[in-house]
Amino acid sequence: MITKRIIPCLDVKNNKVVKGIQFKNHQIVGSIMNLAKKYSNDGADELVFYDISASTEGSIVNKNWVSKVADVIDIPFCVAGGIKTLEDARQILNLGADKISINTPALINPNLISQLSNEFGSQCVVIGMDIKFKDAEAYLFAKTGNEKTAYCTNKKAIDWLLQVQDLGAGEVVINAMGQDGVKTGYDLELLRSLERKCSIPIIASGGAGGPDDFIDVFKKTQVDGALAASIFHRNEFSVGQIKEALRANNVNVRI
């Protein structure tokens, strides 16, 4: 039986971990190293780091903390933020990251996905899909790290999902922007609508408020993992508590 993954997400801005609500009003919540070690020790299956300032300012994720993270944790981690070329990705992976995630650069240059997959293997290539509804349709948004730069691409989420998996993406993260930080549960309807056409692993993101939300997303959809931030950063629940609740409800997770 496939084990489901619990993945704390750390949004990074100016080398600090921050958290917003619906991709707005980000507040500092802690240190990159301290939180990385905490979640690793608490049983997280992976970590994801989104450098939201790099992605909106035309720069690239700060390599100093990437290498330091690799030194202090022993679980896989994924890094996103301004990765636009093969060389950008190579540097991040060589510093110890296991995966790189791209969003806006892929939307601007879809061929980057196949280039990265061919060079490093599809297992290293994650596509972040930041999705918001407009006129009852799910659309992709770009440059979402800052509310002043975020914009709708007018590309439908289902069309982009089909395209990125054909280009060689190894995994997609479905970020429901309307659910982000509000802790009312994952967008199950959105996830179900996309997974029907998806042949690669899906990670759910946006809306986790407690154990019941993780139970629901794993029982009611086919996602491979669930990403969360607010409940972990604010010590409302630990990774261990979430996994304990999942095991009690017959969801297979790593100990």
Side-chain angles (χ1 to χ4, degrees):
M1 185 184 294
I2 296 173
T3 55
K4 302 297 187 179
R5 288 174 278 157
I6 306 301
I7 308 171
C9 173
L10 296 86
D11 289 342
V12 176
K13 184 176 183 180
N14 300 323
N15 300 318
K16 295 286 187 182
V17 179
V18 300
K19 186 67 189 86
I21 296 177
Q22 296 179 329
F23 287 57
K24 301 175 183 177
N25 303 317
H26 293 92
Q27 305 294 320
I28 294 173
V29 294
S31 149
I32 297 171
M33 295 305 126
N34 289 345
L35 290 174
K37 286 188 285 187
K38 172 187 172 183
Y39 299 143
S40 178
N41 292 339
D42 196 33
D45 297 297
E46 299 177 19
L47 298 180
V48 173
F49 297 86
Y50 291 122
D51 191 324
I52 63 172
S53 47
S55 63
T56 57
E57 295 169 4
S59 58
I60 187 172
V61 56
N62 186 318
K63 301 178 186 67
N64 290 331
W65 63 255
V66 175
S67 60
K68 290 177 181 176
V69 166
D71 288 338
V72 301
I73 67 173
D74 57 4
I75 59 173
F77 70 100
C78 177
V79 173
I83 298 170
K84 300 185 262 320
T85 67
L86 285 177
E87 185 54 32
D88 289 342
R90 181 176 289 107
Q91 290 180 25
I92 299 303
L93 293 169
N94 285 343
L95 288 170
D98 299 271
K99 304 175 184 178
I100 54 96
S101 179
I102 53 175
N103 179 356
T104 303
L107 288 161
I108 293 170
N109 175 22
N111 288 331
L112 177 61
I113 300 170
S114 54
Q115 292 169 0
L116 291 167
S117 182
N118 291 335
E119 183 73 14
F120 306 113
S122 61
Q123 77 284 351
C124 290
V125 184
V126 180
I127 302 300
M129 294 177 56
D130 294 339
I131 298 170
K132 189 184 288 188
F133 284 88
K134 188 175 75 168
D135 300 326
E137 287 280 1
Y139 286 96
L140 266 293
F141 277 66
K143 291 200 172 183
T144 54
N146 186 320
E147 58 190 285
K148 294 178 181 177
T149 60
Y151 67 92
C152 180
T153 64
N154 292 318
K155 188 182 288 286
K156 291 182 180 179
I158 187 61
D159 295 338
W160 182 232
L161 174 63
L162 294 172
Q163 186 176 356
V164 301
Q165 65 185 13
D166 286 346
L167 287 169
E171 186 168 272
V172 290
V173 176
I174 305 301
N175 296 313
M177 296 177 67
Q179 300 294 101
D180 177 70
V182 300
K183 298 188 287 190
T184 57
Y186 295 97
D187 191 329
L188 303 181
E189 185 176 343
L190 173 64
L191 293 165
R192 283 193 290 254
S193 71
L194 295 175
E195 70 185 13
R196 296 188 192 107
K197 301 289 183 72
C198 190
S199 59
I200 58 178
I202 290 178
I203 307 299
S205 175
D212 287 347
D213 296 325
F214 289 87
I215 294 165
D216 281 347
V217 79
F218 288 131
K219 291 276 194 178
K220 297 177 181 178
T221 77
Q222 300 299 311
V223 300
D224 295 81
L227 184 153
S230 298
I231 63 169
F232 296 142
H233 295 338
R234 298 188 168 94
N235 297 310
E236 294 168 12
F237 295 93
S238 69
V239 174
Q241 288 173 317
I242 298 299
K243 286 192 168 185
E244 184 179 346
L246 288 168
R247 284 193 292 270
N249 284 269
N250 300 312
V251 177
N252 194 31
V253 291
R254 295 182 183 92
I255 296 174

